[in-house]
Amino acid sequence: MHVVDGALSNPVVIGGAVLTLGGLALGLRRLPMEKIPVAGVLSATFFVASLVHVPIGPSSVHLIMNGLAGLVLGWAAFPALFVGLLLQAVFFGFGGVTVLGVNTFNIAMPAVIVGVILRRLVLSGTPATGAIWGAIGGAMAIALTTIFVALSLALTGEEFFAPAKLVFFAHIPVMVIEALLTGAAVYLARQVKPELFDVFEGARS
Amino acid sequence: MSGIPTITGTALPSNAPGHQTGWLAQLDPRARILCAVGFAVTVVTCDSFGTLVAAVAIALALLVASRLPPRQTLRRMVAMDSFILFMLILLPFTVPGEPILTIWGISASWEGLAQATRIALKANAVILALMALVGTMEPVVLGHALHSLRVPAGLVHLLMFTVRYIEVLRQEYMRLRLAMKARGFRPSTCWHTYRSVGYLLGMMLVRSVERSERIMDAMKCRGFTGHIPLMKRFCLSQNDIVFAALFSLLIVTLLVGEALHAAV
Amino acid sequence: MPLFELSDIHFGYPHRPPILAGADMVLDAGERVCVTGHNGAGKSTLLRIMVGLLRPTGGTVAAFGQSRREEADFHDVRRRAGLVFQDPDDQLFCPTVAEDIAFGPLNLGASRASAIEIVDSVLTRLDLMHLRDRVTHRLSGGEKRLVTLATVLAMEPDVLLLDEPTNALDEENEARLVEVLDALPQAMVIVSHDPHFRRRLGTRSLRLKEGILTQPAPPKCRNASVP
Amino acid sequence: MPLFELSDIHFGYPHRPPILAGADMVLDAGERVCVTGHNGAGKSTLLRIMVGLLRPTGGTVAAFGQSRREEADFHDVRRRAGLVFQDPDDQLFCPTVAEDIAFGPLNLGASRASAIEIVDSVLTRLDLMHLRDRVTHRLSGGEKRLVTLATVLAMEPDVLLLDEPTNALDEENEARLVEVLDALPQAMVIVSHDPHFRRRLGTRSLRLKEGILTQPAPPKCRNASVP
Ligand SMILES: Nc1ncnc2c1ncn2[C@@H]1O[C@H](COP(=O)(O)OP(=O)(O)OP(=O)(O)O)[C@@H](O)[C@H]1O
Ligand SMILES: Nc1ncnc2c1ncn2[C@@H]1O[C@H](COP(=O)(O)OP(=O)(O)OP(=O)(O)O)[C@@H](O)[C@H]1O
Ligand SMILES: [Mg+2]
Ligand SMILES: [Mg+2]
């Protein structure tokens, strides 16, 4: 859900940039040099995941997986997803330049929220209950991203209000898909390597 | 519908030896980044059609100079997110104004159409200029340039590690997908598909974290003490300065055109 | 009617020199054809072409009595010819062994209940029931290799295509594998660098060299040194 | 005084059966010890223990005439014993070849200028100057392997620990590597599955089996087939 250049009003663009700068600062504080390799390799993983298309009816969607990113990376999701969006804009023409801040905030902030609220729950109980919380996180991240995108448009002008609402409902299938995928991924990680969710816990420089 | 063809085409670009590059790609990366950002900020603030069409023309000229494959790049330029495309199509119907036509009792306005066109022109001019100026860089050079533009070291190193391992992980993903295909996997809209792809991504995360542990070991073996050096140094040449000056002039011209238009 | 018939196969990866340049191969029922060749000769590529994961730039692939050209033609081939990949880590992606083995049958449309039945019967047949609920990621190399074989056998193929199956095995597990494979009725194409393994299982050998498959001179010890 | 002396090393990963169970090894100056053993035997684990990336649960590691126990003891060991990892992608983490090679010297306190000098001298010595400014992740498998060797040599180690150095190499690059290694004065521990490579370089061989290092029987043809 990338907004393009020229769609948003100046205050929204500037607001998004400022919020993203704040998020990046907080995220980088949790990334001492020893954590950069893990964060980089994970960032690359999420970049590759975002290129994956899964079918939905006769069409297909590409994945975002920001819920899973938030569960694994916490606040470090901000810089990690920012880097991914930067590379996408520059090399694939996806997104834009002035809206990089807004786009990062819209995708990374939901990730962080999901991480902060649900990480503990995802780690509690059996892998199956963890997977259910993971699925909730996957859906919640996409829902929040849609809402944030709709908000950035709605703050720009009234004319975007109705379509933004429509688009939220149109994204419900995507929420379901990301929920199922995130749930499955969490289920696997809980069985194979539960420490995955602890990599960025308590890291502070 | 297989995920493989869609992903094979999307490796990060390479400026391997023998790769054809134009004069644009010879310029200082920092100058190109600053020009792209300056251009983007300018275009976004402009509103008159004349200025925006001129901006698109500039972007197209940059595309020619960049020697990027034109067809593929133009396709990428117009491939906006379906989300934003949907907004643009609806704009004529949601912006009040003089009606063009009426569908099911809802009328489309000229004003809405104009706004949608303006957004499309701006978005495409900016993204095209960005791809031509910055997208022709080796991603590693982008990192070095950002570093010398005072982007925080943590972010630059994160970018460098991401760029370093995208291809390794993309290959891993494709091998796994191939093996799934060999066992008769055909993605469809069903729980089995989503669970399998979810497992696949989860497994890639697990392996990535384990790889990063080995990377950290390798760093320790070479005396890692909490500092990663970056060595690249750039120096501005005469050509870079001339290009930056001319490009700035172009940007100023756009702004003057816009101001004249507003004054009319 | 041969199970597989490859004629005059040409192939090269994009921007690379050609790898296969007129390779021919016929696989009949009951045969176990061994394929050798140095690293990078194109052995794995050949197996991928057989099941349509790569499409040759020239030549024809016929399988199970039909010429195969399109992606759709190969769906059936992949069901009937089970490919065991060179690196078990490329093949195993599910959390547990049981789920990984069930993946193939589920793709073929089996219900969950019958998939679980298949899992148990395959594991019992290979004497691997103790691995059933283990996490695949934590298996040893030898265990992984045996499980990949199980994942493919679960699809009840008519032909097995094995890419360096002894790669990750110690002597004990290798003996196990030879025993298991020897008892299977399927025709096989076996890529292997190991002359003792080839001699024990193969009915004939082919050597892939300069893009062409040829009958090699009878194996001598020197062959053992192909890296 | 031996360069390395491992006695009665015990080790197991958490929640796994023990891997090393009383391994002993002595490495003297000028020696090139080859270590073989099946996949998963613990060869890479042994090399990691030697440079203190893993700490044994029992036994002692002595290196360069001193017993080594704590993390701090091993800083010096890692400088003097260069470990070349099994997967070059784990080892080449810097953006360009020059930066990767300079990483070690800079960590050892070299100035930028002298680090650059070291980079150039190592690359010239290995005849790899054409790779100097290449991006590491775009190198071929063989080039990556040679560059990992360069990154380690840049630290001027007294001992080289090589983990399956011929893994990703074709015959030509392998011949190159053999030549390069043969010309180096350092003592080496070489993990390799390739009997010809071992025979060409090694001064003696050890086999890791069931957690113990033993002198194998003199190589016969059968050995050549160890997978
Ligand atoms: N996806 C790919 N893209 C480009 N080149 C490839 C790809 N896969 C393999 N190659 C190259 O094609 C050649 C043949 O590869 P292949 O894997 O078929 O060889 P092989 O005979 O199986 O070798 P090995 O004994 O090492 O398994 C090699 O040089 C390899 O580098
Ligand atoms: N980080 C780890 N955590 C748990 N188990 C591990 C870890 N690393 C290795 N192992 C296991 O320990 C055993 C020995 O591994 P090691 O890598 O030392 O073997 P190796 O002799 O080098 O094998 P190969 O020839 O495949 O490289 C293997 O069974 C492996 O699965
Ligand atoms: Mg192969
Ligand atoms: Mg090893």
Side-chain angles (χ1 to χ4, degrees):
Chain A
M1 273 170 273
H2 302 63
V3 181
V4 295
D5 284 305
L8 301 177
S9 68
N10 290 342
V12 176
V13 167
I14 294 167
V18 169
L19 288 171
T20 288
L21 282 178
L24 287 176
L26 280 172
L28 288 174
R29 279 241 308 266
R30 284 164 172 77
L31 274 185
M33 274 305 168
E34 303 84 65
K35 293 282 179 189
I36 294 267
V38 208
V41 178
L42 286 174
S43 166
T45 313
F46 283 107
F47 185 90
V48 171
S50 77
L51 302 176
V52 174
H53 282 245
V54 293
I56 168 167
S59 168
S60 75
V61 289
H62 77 90
L63 301 177
I64 300 181
M65 296 306 268
N66 53 344
L68 190 58
L71 289 172
V72 176
L73 289 158
W75 273 98
F78 244 103
L81 295 175
F82 170 79
V83 163
L85 288 172
L86 177 68
L87 293 173
Q88 278 191 6
V90 170
F91 296 106
F92 301 156
F94 229 61
V97 179
T98 59
V99 285
L100 197 53
V102 176
N103 280 337
T104 304
F105 184 81
N106 289 347
I107 287 176
M109 197 62 222
V112 172
I113 293 172
V114 165
V116 167
I117 298 181
L118 292 177
R119 201 192 68 91
R120 200 151 291 152
L121 290 166
V122 159
L123 277 172
S124 67
T126 63
T129 52
I132 291 170
W133 286 114
I136 291 170
M140 192 164 118
I142 298 298
L144 285 172
T145 296
T146 319
I147 290 170
F148 285 3
V149 175
L151 268 179
S152 20
L153 287 163
L155 286 172
T156 290
E158 227 168 274
E159 65 272 20
F160 290 109
F161 210 70
K165 244 191 297 187
L166 246 171
V167 161
F168 178 81
F169 291 108
H171 272 81
I172 288 177
V174 181
M175 291 171 209
V176 173
I177 289 176
E178 293 248 351
L180 295 177
L181 286 165
T182 309
V186 165
Y187 181 72
L188 180 135
R190 277 288 311 270
Q191 283 187 295
V192 174
K193 196 177 178 77
E195 313 91 274
L196 181 66
F197 299 102
D198 295 329
V199 171
F200 288 93
E201 187 53 8
R204 220 152 290 206
S205 59
Chain B
M1 188 162 330
S2 133
I4 296 167
T6 45
I7 196 171
T8 37
T10 44
L12 286 179
S14 91
N15 286 359
H19 183 89
Q20 207 186 19
T21 54
W23 56 268
L24 201 56
Q26 312 292 327
L27 294 173
D28 188 294
R30 295 168 300 175
R32 281 146 71 195
I33 292 173
L34 292 179
C35 287
V37 172
F39 184 74
V41 172
T42 309
V43 169
V44 166
T45 52
C46 292
D47 266 328
S48 79
F49 276 104
T51 319
L52 292 180
V53 169
V56 172
I58 293 173
L60 284 171
L62 289 173
L63 173 67
V64 173
S66 74
R67 305 258 191 109
L68 282 172
R71 186 168 307 168
Q72 189 192 344
T73 313
L74 288 174
R75 203 175 325 123
R76 278 180 172 167
M77 175 191 88
V78 292
M80 278 188 246
D81 206 299
S82 52
F83 189 102
I84 205 78
L85 215 57
F86 185 72
M87 297 284 165
L88 288 187
I89 292 168
L90 282 188
L91 267 184
F93 299 95
T94 56
V95 176
E98 199 181 321
I100 321 170
L101 79 168
T102 307
I103 305 174
W104 300 314
I106 307 169
S107 60
S109 70
W110 284 110
E111 284 79 356
L113 185 63
Q115 192 179 340
T117 314
R118 247 184 249 123
I119 294 175
L121 287 174
K122 287 182 193 181
N124 287 325
V126 171
I127 211 71
L128 200 52
L130 180 70
M131 281 195 285
L133 285 167
V134 189
T136 42
M137 267 174 222
E138 174 68 60
V140 165
V141 174
L142 173 64
H144 281 128
L146 290 176
H147 181 63
S148 69
L149 289 171
R150 302 264 182 283
V151 169
L155 203 55
V156 172
H157 287 304
L158 187 63
L159 177 84
M160 292 297 202
F161 270 98
T162 306
V163 165
R164 168 69 182 85
Y165 286 101
I166 282 176
E167 188 57 23
V168 173
L169 292 167
R170 200 178 67 94
Q171 298 284 348
E172 181 177 320
Y173 171 79
M174 292 202 304
R175 286 196 306 272
L176 281 156
R177 275 307 284 262
L178 214 59
M180 287 167 79
K181 202 171 165 191
R183 284 206 270 159
F185 182 62
R186 278 192 270 159
S188 64
T189 308
C190 67
W191 168 222
H192 173 66
T193 295
Y194 299 138
R195 186 188 49 210
S196 302
V197 176
Y199 283 167
L200 176 60
L201 295 178
M203 188 57 97
M204 285 187 60
L205 277 183
V206 168
R207 292 194 192 157
S208 298
V209 168
E210 291 181 352
R211 180 184 289 280
S212 76
E213 286 162 7
R214 296 195 298 274
I215 295 168
M216 201 62 225
D217 278 352
M219 292 172 74
K220 277 191 206 159
C221 278
R222 288 200 272 150
F224 176 65
T225 50
H227 177 71
I228 306 173
L230 282 174
M231 302 215 302
K232 188 80 181 175
R233 291 277 187 272
F234 299 104
C235 58
L236 280 175
S237 73
Q238 187 125 32
N239 285 350
D240 303 325
I241 295 166
V242 171
F243 174 78
L246 287 178
F247 200 84
S248 308
L249 200 65
L250 216 52
I251 289 177
V252 170
T253 315
L254 282 180
L255 285 172
V256 170
E258 176 71 12
L260 287 178
H261 183 87
V264 172
Chain C
M1 183 198 76
L3 293 169
F4 269 95
E5 190 164 2
L6 309 186
S7 354
D8 195 31
I9 299 289
H10 288 252
F11 183 83
Y13 290 97
H15 318 296
R16 299 285 193 98
I19 290 173
L20 299 177
D24 299 292
M25 178 161 85
V26 175
L27 180 74
D28 283 307
E31 274 196 310
R32 296 200 196 120
V33 177
C34 292
V35 178
T36 66
H38 65 74
N39 285 85
K43 305 178 296 297
S44 303
T45 304
L46 185 77
L47 296 185
R48 281 169 194 210
I49 286 175
M50 290 176 76
V51 294
L53 296 172
L54 295 171
R55 224 47 58 74
T57 48
T60 57
V61 178
F64 308 109
Q66 265 180 275
S67 163
R68 312 282 176 165
R69 232 175 273 275
E70 308 292 311
E71 175 68 16
D73 301 342
F74 282 103
H75 290 158
D76 173 55
V77 177
R78 287 179 203 143
R79 200 179 58 65
R80 297 177 64 184
L83 173 55
V84 176
F85 279 64
Q86 185 164 353
D87 183 352
D89 280 328
D90 289 341
Q91 203 161 352
L92 302 174
F93 68 97
C94 292
T96 65
V97 170
E99 279 173 286
D100 222 311
I101 297 176
F103 176 72
L106 288 173
N107 285 333
L108 301 183
S111 70
R112 265 204 100 64
S114 69
I116 290 173
E117 242 171 65
I118 295 173
V119 168
D120 289 342
S121 91
V122 169
L123 285 175
T124 311
R125 194 139 45 99
L126 296 183
D127 197 16
L128 296 173
M129 270 307 268
H130 59 287
L131 299 181
R132 189 179 185 285
D133 296 309
R134 289 275 295 281
V135 172
T136 48
H137 187 65
R138 301 233 190 91
L139 298 176
S140 74
E143 290 167 336
K144 278 186 189 164
R145 175 52 77 196
L146 290 167
V147 170
T148 55
L149 185 64
T151 62
V152 164
L153 288 178
M155 299 175 72
E156 304 188 349
D158 300 328
V159 177
L160 285 174
L161 310 175
L162 307 170
D163 201 348
E164 309 199 13
T166 54
N167 237 358
L169 299 185
D170 54 35
E171 273 141 57
E172 194 185 321
N173 275 316
E174 188 179 325
R176 258 308 279 302
L177 183 73
V178 167
E179 210 175 287
V180 167
L181 291 178
D182 206 23
L184 290 174
Q186 279 96 342
M188 299 178 194
V189 177
I190 307 173
V191 171
S192 174
H193 290 300
D194 179 348
H196 298 271
F197 184 78
R198 293 201 301 268
R199 209 169 303 147
R200 177 79 174 76
L201 277 178
T203 57
R204 65 188 169 98
S205 262
L206 292 173
R207 183 161 175 78
L208 182 57
K209 201 174 169 186
E210 285 156 21
I212 291 176
L213 282 161
T214 50
Q215 206 87 24
K220 282 184 310 226
C221 180
R222 175 63 199 162
N223 271 7
S225 76
V226 173
Chain D
M1 181 200 72
L3 294 169
F4 269 96
E5 190 162 3
L6 309 186
S7 354
D8 196 29
I9 301 290
H10 287 252
F11 183 82
Y13 290 97
H15 318 296
R16 300 283 194 101
I19 289 173
L20 298 177
D24 299 293
M25 177 161 88
V26 175
L27 179 74
D28 283 307
E31 273 196 311
R32 296 198 197 124
V33 176
C34 293
V35 177
T36 66
H38 64 75
N39 285 87
K43 305 178 295 297
S44 302
T45 304
L46 184 77
L47 296 185
R48 273 160 206 257
I49 287 175
M50 291 176 75
V51 294
L53 295 172
L54 296 170
R55 226 42 62 75
T57 50
T60 56
V61 179
F64 308 108
Q66 265 179 279
S67 162
R68 312 283 176 162
R69 232 174 273 276
E70 309 293 312
E71 175 67 15
D73 301 342
F74 281 103
H75 288 161
D76 174 53
V77 177
R78 287 181 202 144
R79 198 179 60 64
R80 296 178 61 186
L83 174 53
V84 175
F85 281 62
Q86 188 162 350
D87 183 352
D89 279 325
D90 294 339
Q91 196 160 5
L92 301 177
F93 45 82
C94 291
T96 65
V97 169
E99 279 168 304
D100 219 314
I101 297 175
F103 182 85
L106 287 173
N107 284 331
L108 299 184
S111 70
R112 282 186 77 78
S114 70
I116 289 173
E117 241 170 67
I118 294 173
V119 169
D120 290 343
S121 92
V122 169
L123 285 175
T124 311
R125 194 141 43 101
L126 296 184
D127 196 15
L128 296 175
M129 268 307 268
H130 57 290
L131 300 181
R132 189 180 187 285
D133 294 310
R134 289 276 297 279
V135 173
T136 47
H137 67 266
R138 298 209 193 283
L139 300 175
S140 75
E143 290 168 338
K144 276 185 189 163
R145 176 53 76 198
L146 291 167
V147 172
T148 55
L149 187 63
T151 64
V152 165
L153 288 179
M155 300 177 70
E156 304 185 353
D158 300 327
V159 177
L160 285 174
L161 309 174
L162 307 169
D163 200 347
E164 308 200 14
T166 54
N167 241 356
L169 300 185
D170 57 29
E171 272 142 55
E172 193 186 322
N173 274 316
E174 189 179 323
R176 247 327 266 302
L177 184 72
V178 167
E179 209 175 288
V180 167
L181 291 177
D182 206 23
L184 291 174
Q186 278 95 346
M188 300 180 194
V189 177
I190 306 174
V191 171
S192 174
H193 289 300
D194 180 347
H196 296 268
F197 184 77
R198 294 200 301 267
R199 208 169 304 148
R200 176 80 174 74
L201 279 177
T203 58
R204 66 187 169 101
S205 261
L206 291 172
R207 182 160 174 78
L208 183 57
K209 200 176 169 184
E210 285 156 22
I212 290 176
L213 281 162
T214 50
Q215 204 88 26
K220 278 183 318 224
C221 179
R222 175 63 198 159
N223 271 6
S225 76
V226 172

